[in-house]
Amino acid sequence: MAPFPETEIMTIKRLEVALRKMDLKLLKDGAYKLHEKYHSGFKFEYIDLLKEIFIDVTNNPSIPNDIKDILTPTIDDILSSQGVKTDTSTSPYEALKQNRVSSLTSLSYSTGNEQQEAPHQPPKQNAFEAFSPKTTAQPRILKQSPFSAQPFKEFVNPMVVEYPKEENNAVTSIVEDVQNNESVEKIEENANIETKAQASQPTEQEYLQNNVKNENQVEIQQQSMTKQKSIAIFYNQDSSKDKNKNIQKYRELLKNYNNASMGEILSLLSEINVQADTNVVELKGILEQLNNTNNYVSLITNSQSANFVQLMETNKISYSIFNPRNDKKINLMPIFGLSDLFECSQCHQEFLETEKETKAFVLQCPKCKSPMFPSYYAQNDRDIEINLDYYNMANIAFANSQVWLVIHPSIDDKITINLLRSALKVSNQVEEIYIIDKDINVRETYKTLFNEINQNIKINTQVSVIEDFLKAVY
């Protein structure tokens, strides 16, 4: 099954992340990706983001020349083809001060120097003023872009000051010598008025304290804008009938492995592993993007490929298996088992074999020292054998997720169809479902199935579904 093409924003996001973390390997990989995309005839839209990257790379002396020689000419060609001129003498900090149209709000904003340069023209309204009511001095929260590496940085106005509120504090000291026969109450009243007047004019120290306070408030508000979402990805791969037959035969042999021929078991495992270890590289781009977010992600699949673990470890993607953890980004849940996930024949202890150089068929249980075999399960038209713990954990993950991404679903796989239907029926969390498949009939079949259960859920089957999904979760 051919991988779906990488979107423009995913290509750009890879470069932004690489620059922010100074990951030169990822930056070089992103440069080649951009180069290939441009020479394939792709027409780019996010010109302002590419120009930012061009300026950052050009003015960063720590980036090796071999990467610059690939990346900067490619971006220069892209910008030139769109009629955009590049100015390599402008630093990224100066570029941010120049008048431009923000990719975040599509509003022109200025540095505040326009009145001195052109007094006859009214100054442009900045982004804060454009969204703020006239009667309040509180910072206004703007909707952040899913593609900005440092959202709000260009809009934070360090000169916004929250003046202290007037307080009716009693005067703690009174002049002892009362002159002109004024009453004590009159003195207190006059002193209180004087205190209020002084409070209305903040000192330099108060000014700086309030400035820091407002910046902290803006930062807290920005962080609260990035809400954590729970995401369930279902990744389907077509399973051959031969593989299912082999797995069912393998499980029959395991039920009485003491009397079974070990040679027959190992021969079956060798054949099943070849059938199971399919390519899952098309998930690489999506998992890399989600690894850079704060979302909780469950990756549920009917595939049994050992390449899931290899993909995540090679690309340094934080993951766990059937064990949701706050310190791990992706929780992998293969409902039909995994070729490198072993289960003890006696105590049912599970163990993940991550050795890359060799492929083990049998392991020894570290707990009871009994043989451990790969945990394979299968289904066919009549017989279905599945680990109910795996199935139930997947069902709960779907039901507790706000966003679903369904990739290559099958209309013939009864297990996964019933899994998705039952989870949606019991869930009150699901808000959006994104469906990916090259066959429009499959997409519309699942859309109809989901709509019959809940018509209030937003279902996306468009060509831009990947880009729309990434916008929703960033």
Side-chain angles (χ1 to χ4, degrees):
M1 187 175 293
F4 40 79
E6 183 177 80
T7 62
E8 174 187 354
I9 198 61
M10 288 175 65
T11 305
I12 294 176
K13 187 64 180 178
R14 179 185 290 104
L15 295 171
E16 289 183 344
V17 171
L19 286 172
R20 187 169 71 250
K21 296 182 177 180
M22 280 307 296
D23 187 335
L24 298 180
K25 181 178 181 301
L26 182 61
L27 184 63
K28 189 172 184 178
D29 180 59
Y32 279 112
K33 290 281 186 181
L34 187 71
H35 182 80
E36 293 172 3
K37 201 172 191 69
Y38 169 66
H39 286 285
S40 68
F42 184 86
K43 184 175 181 181
F44 290 81
E45 297 179 3
Y46 296 98
I47 301 302
D48 54 342
L49 297 181
L50 287 171
K51 188 173 182 180
E52 294 285 350
I53 294 172
F54 179 84
I55 296 174
D56 285 346
V57 173
T58 304
N59 291 277
N60 192 337
S62 61
I63 297 177
N65 289 332
D66 61 331
I67 298 179
K68 286 187 177 182
D69 292 342
I70 300 169
L71 188 54
T72 53
T74 302
I75 299 179
D76 191 25
D77 290 342
I78 295 171
L79 297 179
S80 299
S81 67
Q82 300 284 344
V84 178
K85 296 182 179 180
T86 55
D87 183 5
T88 57
S89 64
T90 304
S91 71
Y93 305 102
E94 292 173 347
L96 286 176
K97 295 180 182 178
Q98 296 175 354
N99 293 340
R100 60 182 176 84
V101 177
S102 169
S103 63
L104 195 60
T105 64
S106 298
L107 291 175
S108 290
Y109 66 97
S110 63
T111 60
N113 298 325
E114 289 80 358
Q115 280 188 312
Q116 297 178 2
E117 297 174 357
H120 61 281
Q121 294 181 352
K124 294 181 180 179
Q125 192 176 27
N126 64 39
F128 264 140
E129 294 173 350
F131 287 96
S132 299
K134 301 298 183 181
T135 57
T136 179
Q138 294 292 335
R140 180 78 169 185
I141 303 176
L142 303 182
K143 185 177 292 184
Q144 73 173 19
S145 166
F147 316 119
S148 177
Q150 293 179 313
F152 294 95
K153 182 177 180 180
E154 54 190 319
F155 293 109
V156 174
N157 185 357
M159 301 305 294
V160 177
V161 180
E162 179 182 349
Y163 286 92
K165 297 180 180 179
E166 296 181 352
E167 299 180 357
N168 294 320
N169 297 327
V171 178
T172 57
S173 62
I174 304 176
V175 180
E176 296 180 352
D177 296 329
V178 180
Q179 299 178 354
N180 300 324
N181 298 323
E182 291 181 341
S183 65
V184 174
E185 291 80 2
K186 184 67 176 177
I187 293 176
E188 288 180 343
E189 180 181 355
N190 292 337
N192 196 26
I193 294 174
E194 183 178 357
T195 302
K196 290 181 179 181
Q198 293 176 352
S200 65
Q201 299 295 329
T203 64
E204 181 179 357
Q205 183 178 1
E206 291 172 337
Y207 180 90
L208 294 174
Q209 289 175 347
N210 288 326
N211 189 13
V212 174
K213 178 181 178 181
N214 278 328
E215 289 183 347
N216 291 337
Q217 287 178 344
V218 172
E219 183 177 356
I220 292 172
Q221 289 169 339
Q222 293 170 7
Q223 293 174 353
S224 65
M225 289 284 291
T226 309
K227 295 182 179 179
Q228 290 180 329
K229 289 187 176 182
S230 52
I231 301 169
I233 300 176
F234 176 69
Y235 179 70
N236 179 80
Q237 280 193 337
D238 294 334
S239 184
S240 68
K241 292 183 178 180
D242 288 339
K243 184 185 77 170
N244 290 337
K245 288 180 181 179
N246 286 337
I247 291 176
Q248 288 173 341
K249 184 178 180 180
Y250 161 73
R251 293 201 62 81
E252 286 295 325
L253 291 174
L254 286 186
K255 291 177 182 178
N256 192 18
Y257 77 91
N258 289 324
N259 298 324
S261 168
M262 185 57 65
E264 188 176 4
I265 293 177
L266 296 179
S267 178
L268 267 177
L269 279 176
S270 177
E271 187 173 351
I272 293 171
N273 286 346
V274 172
Q275 295 169 329
D277 290 340
T278 51
N279 196 343
V280 296
V281 70
E282 63 179 330
L283 289 174
K284 179 177 180 289
I286 291 178
L287 295 182
E288 283 180 333
Q289 297 297 318
L290 293 175
N291 193 49
N292 295 320
T293 70
N294 294 322
N295 301 311
Y296 300 106
V297 182
S298 298
L299 175 56
I300 301 150
T301 180
N302 70 336
S303 174
Q304 299 151 318
S305 176
N307 290 317
F308 282 108
V309 174
Q310 183 178 353
L311 174 66
M312 294 190 205
E313 292 193 345
T314 302
N315 295 281
K316 299 180 180 179
I317 297 172
S318 175
Y319 75 98
S320 59
I321 295 184
F322 288 116
N323 182 26
R325 292 171 50 180
N326 292 333
D327 60 330
K328 301 296 182 182
K329 295 297 181 68
I330 312 291
N331 181 34
L332 177 61
M333 308 178 76
I335 57 177
F336 288 102
L338 209 60
S339 69
D340 48 359
L341 181 62
F342 289 76
E343 182 180 0
C344 179
S345 57
Q346 298 298 321
C347 67
H348 302 289
Q349 176 86 6
E350 291 184 333
F351 179 79
L352 179 67
E353 172 61 40
T354 58
E355 180 61 45
K356 299 177 183 178
E357 301 298 329
T358 59
K359 184 76 172 180
F361 289 158
V362 183
L363 299 178
Q364 185 182 52
C365 177
K367 185 176 180 180
C368 69
K369 309 306 179 184
S370 299
M372 301 184 79
F373 298 95
S375 57
Y376 280 120
Y377 298 89
Q379 65 173 328
N380 59 26
D381 295 336
R382 295 182 179 180
D383 300 323
I384 296 175
E385 188 172 5
I386 192 169
N387 187 315
L388 288 179
D389 289 336
Y390 293 175
Y391 184 89
N392 290 333
M393 283 188 281
N395 200 326
I396 292 172
F398 273 123
N400 290 335
S401 296
Q402 298 165 285
V403 181
W404 289 8
L405 177 63
V406 182
I407 303 175
H408 309 316
S410 170
I411 57 178
D412 299 321
D413 189 342
K414 296 179 181 179
I415 286 287
T416 55
I417 290 177
N418 290 332
L419 175 64
L420 293 169
R421 290 181 60 186
S422 60
L424 191 58
K425 285 181 179 179
V426 301
S427 175
N428 59 358
Q429 300 291 324
V430 184
E431 300 172 358
E432 301 172 82
I433 299 178
Y434 298 83
I435 305 173
I436 301 174
D437 194 77
K438 61 182 180 181
D439 190 341
I440 188 173
N441 294 321
V442 173
R443 301 198 303 268
E444 293 304 314
T445 297
Y446 270 83
K447 181 177 180 179
T448 302
L449 184 149
F450 294 144
N451 275 328
E452 289 176 352
I453 299 173
N454 190 338
Q455 294 183 352
N456 296 322
I457 296 176
K458 176 185 175 183
I459 301 177
N460 189 326
T461 60
Q462 303 301 316
V463 176
S464 60
V465 63
I466 290 294
E467 186 171 343
D468 294 340
F469 167 74
L470 292 175
K471 287 180 181 178
V473 300
Y474 264 93

